Amino acid sequence: MNIITRDSLLYRVWQKVQQGERLSLEDGLVLFNTNDLIALGKMAHYVQQQKSGDAVYFVLNQKIEHTNICVLSCKFCDFAAKKGTDKAYEMTTGEILSKITPEIREVHITGGMPPDWEWERYIDIVKSVHQKFPDADVKAYTAVEIDFFHKKFKLPIEEILRQLQAAGLRTMPGGGAEIFTERVRKLLFPQKIVAKGYLEVHKTAHRLGIPTNCTMLYGHIETIEERLIHMIKLREAQDETGGFLSFIPLAFQPGDTGIKPKNQFTSAVDDLKTIAVSRLMLDNVPHIKAYWVMLTEEVASVALNFGADDIDGTVGQERIAHDAGAISPMELAKEKLIKIIQEAGKIPVERDAFYNPLNVYSENVIGKIPYLNSVPFYHHFEKGSFKILPVVPRHMGILSVQKQLDAGLFSLMDYFEQEESLELIDWCIATRDQVKSVMLFSKDGWADLHGKKIGITDDTATSVKLLKVILENKYNVRANFERLHRGVNDYSAYQAILLIGDEALKRNKFGLDGYELIFDLALEWYNWKKLPFVFAVWAARKTLPDNLKNELKQDIKKSLEASQGHFTEIGKIHDSRIGLSPEEIESYLEGFNYHLGEREKEAIREFRSLVHHTHANR
Ligand code: SF4
């Protein structure tokens, strides 16, 4: 992509971005200080497109602030009240449940910290919401609240999180981070958790398989450098655990805090810059949220072309920001969110709390597998009439069944299931012999896995079926299979683990503690059948008009041709976090055959026949 700017310092940072290099604090200062807002936005948009294509996510969510009574007195807070005052309120569990409707997919629970609530009351809230609304993910309690529980109820943080998880907690909000430097903390919220404490709570949650979100409150007394230090600390934590789902820059609402004059909101330019810089600095956080409640709908809408790919949700009744003077309407209907996203030229994608897509509101949508091995198909893809939605293979299958995708690179098993409505087009992801990214990490050899528990990836059916076919037909072994939940890194219950995609690539290189043996499933297949293995095939809905099918075929062909000979560059840009050297990326991508030829078709027939005869199907 070409960006023209008169700011030579900005251009130097742009060159780093294009190379997939990590940005430093100094680079961040260049980004914040540039006068070329449009070029900055384009840079952030470029990075966002690599991560989430044309998708902008929203969720049907309900915010619950169960009480505003708080023992702390943060200077910037207009929400909290002391017990016994007119403004103070407490909600019963029944009142909380009465605010949730069946269509809600995420219940976001945070509040003040009252002096007299029992631990059981917090557990009861989570459990009751989870039991009464099992389709809604409970996202509850900030790190500040968890730290409060830890001190008040004298329970270790890990134990608190385990109990909440057992009650039904699925994810956590990111509130309470504010600005991580001690200078700001001492001036504005001296009683609040320090940066180290905030990050420890989140990292503990990640280790337990509870993904979380993270925030930054900007536009008060912090300096630009302090914003960047904050982002870098979050980036370092994410390098360790990978558990942050999204970053939410929260624009400070002055209200009656006295910190700033009441009408001195952050400027739209500052908001857009902060969103864009966040996208560029936080290279390892999947999503950047433009939180419309604090930004206003207008700014949030523009932010969707400045690096943001999430606009939060319908929110229901939200009090904290509105008590501080936020001017957005209290309820923004789903239709309105869809319209805002469509007007920004994006695909509105209704999601759950984990960013799994539930509904896609657009036509001519192509699914994109977000793994390194499919990058050659998309890197030079000129979208023309199409929009791109990155989605793991399993969700691609689900969305296709629901007729919400028009074409994509389908997992072979999903194609088998939908053959009647899909038409193959000429490309696939097939191995020549080994694949390096569909790996069984095991404590035992193949023959000794009989009767043992194997953890299997939740992302795709084809690799799981290949494992079952190999175990049963090649080694005459019957094992027990259990789905691994996304984000859970504790594999101790399993004798072997099947991982796929970039995670498998990384573990193949660096190893997985406790699992001495590593088997490449494609190599197992090749040594057995002397055939390639086809993991995924390009297919389009049969009802897609011929002119669009032809356009798609041309687009894929052009992208593949343009990618040949440049695997190192495109691989590096895709994701520098996998930790592969340029030579390793090159050799990995060279190991695939992308053309669906006769041998690949023979391999598909052979696999299909074995799948039919495999007991573990039934
Ligand atoms: S920001 Fe949170 S912790 Fe601070 S006073 Fe307000 S409710 Fe209490």
Side-chain angles (χ1 to χ4, degrees), residues 348-365:
V349 181
E350 187 184 330
R351 63 167 175 85
D352 64 13
F354 301 92
Y355 285 83
N356 293 317
L358 302 173
N359 285 302
V360 179
Y361 299 90
S362 184
E363 292 183 339
N364 300 347
V365 176

Side-chain angles (χ1 to χ4, degrees), residues 16-36:
K16 283 180 86 172
V17 170
Q18 284 181 298
Q19 292 302 312
E21 285 178 37
R22 179 158 273 191
L23 302 187
S24 64
L25 188 140
E26 291 69 32
D27 294 326
L29 288 172
V30 170
L31 298 174
F32 266 118
N33 290 332
T34 186
N35 285 330
D36 196 342

Side-chain angles (χ1 to χ4, degrees), residues 68 70-74 76-80 111-113 144 178 192:
N68 65 348
C70 192
V71 292
L72 302 193
S73 307
C74 302
F76 58 77
C77 180
D78 258 4
F79 164 73
M113 282 164 276
V144 181
E178 323 309 7
K192 227 175 196 172

Side-chain angles (χ1 to χ4, degrees), residues 473-487:
N473 297 279
K474 186 175 177 188
Y475 292 104
N476 199 21
V477 162
R478 301 265 168 90
N480 301 316
F481 300 96
E482 197 172 288
R483 289 261 171 213
L484 294 169
H485 292 291
R486 188 177 284 269

